[in-house]
Amino acid sequence: MKKILVTILFLFVFSFSTFAQTASPSPIPVSKLKVGDAAPDFELIDVKRQKVKLSDFKGKKNVVLAFYVLAFTGGWTKELTAYQADIAKFEATDTQVIGISMDSFASNERYGKDLGVTFPLLSDWNRKTTRDYGLFNEESGYGRRGTFVIDKEGIIQKVEIGNTAIDPTGAYETCSLLDHKKKTEKKP
């Protein structure tokens, strides 16, 4: 009887440890990019199948890159509508807002139309840009939410990763500071 109980206990402990290893969440990607780094360039397709490169904005506009996991999700819907509600503020600071997901351009097009979005939504179908920005989880196959504010010289000025990136306030404040800095530099 004692042997049977020991065997059952061993099997229980072994089964539990195996389950715990397989049920543990995959590691959360953490971007190695930081403030002061050059932003990796990319070329992605927008909802009209037009190519958009980050370098197209260099010397012309600040850029907010808002990476989202998937279209039609609650967090991105909240984030997207907040960016759209404040789009005039971003434009006033000479900033282009760009949404990036691993969805197809067709999904992004439908999603953008449903929500009345006026800024570009780009498809990172091959996941290269999401990887380059350190937001791709190889185990789950999905990206992580993240926001990068990039100045006109192509340098990262702000990084927000995870759920705090849903609120565009930090991105706007950074763009406002960049705009203020530019205006004060022009004064004699």
Side-chain angles (χ1 to χ4, degrees):
M1 180 72 173
K2 191 175 180 183
K3 260 186 165 179
I4 293 174
L5 286 174
V6 169
T7 304
I8 291 172
L9 181 62
F10 172 77
L11 289 173
F12 175 76
V13 169
F14 178 75
S15 298
F16 181 77
S17 68
T18 303
F19 172 76
Q21 289 174 359
T22 58
S24 63
S26 55
I28 296 172
V30 177
S31 179
K32 290 179 175 52
L33 295 174
K34 60 189 180 311
V35 172
D37 288 348
D41 197 13
F42 58 79
E43 182 178 283
L44 297 173
I45 303 299
D46 69 9
V47 299
K48 297 174 184 169
R49 296 187 188 188
Q50 301 297 310
K51 293 178 182 177
V52 176
K53 293 196 270 185
L54 178 61
S55 56
D56 291 341
F57 300 96
K58 194 169 184 177
K60 301 173 188 170
K61 287 186 176 263
N62 303 311
V63 176
V64 172
L65 298 179
F67 286 83
Y68 55 103
V69 181
L70 293 170
F72 305 100
T73 57
W76 178 234
T77 298
K78 183 177 178 180
E79 185 177 356
L80 186 83
T81 53
Y83 273 110
Q84 187 59 47
D86 288 343
I87 199 68
K89 287 183 186 179
F90 284 100
E91 289 170 351
T93 63
D94 213 15
T95 301
Q96 176 65 60
V97 175
I98 298 174
I100 300 176
S101 80
M102 298 181 305
D103 291 297
S104 69
F105 72 89
S107 290
N108 283 334
E109 179 181 29
R110 174 61 191 259
Y111 191 54
K113 280 183 182 178
D114 287 355
L115 297 175
V117 174
T118 60
F119 56 87
L121 300 178
L122 307 182
S123 172
D124 184 22
W125 188 251
N126 66 10
R127 283 109 169 108
K128 181 183 180 329
T129 302
T130 305
R131 281 186 178 96
D132 289 349
Y133 279 79
L135 299 174
F136 188 71
N137 184 324
E138 296 291 340
E139 288 185 32
S140 71
Y142 290 100
R144 187 159 189 220
R145 179 180 324 285
T147 301
F148 295 83
V149 177
I150 302 159
D151 68 17
K152 291 178 183 181
E153 286 74 44
I155 304 301
I156 297 171
Q157 297 298 320
K158 181 166 183 68
V159 177
E160 274 190 284
I161 308 294
N163 287 339
T164 60
I166 291 175
D167 181 0
T169 304
Y172 169 70
E173 289 171 351
T174 302
C175 294
S176 182
L177 286 172
L178 290 171
D179 188 53
H180 177 72
K181 181 180 173 185
K182 181 186 80 171
K183 288 176 181 173
T184 56
E185 287 175 354
K186 287 183 178 179
K187 291 182 179 179

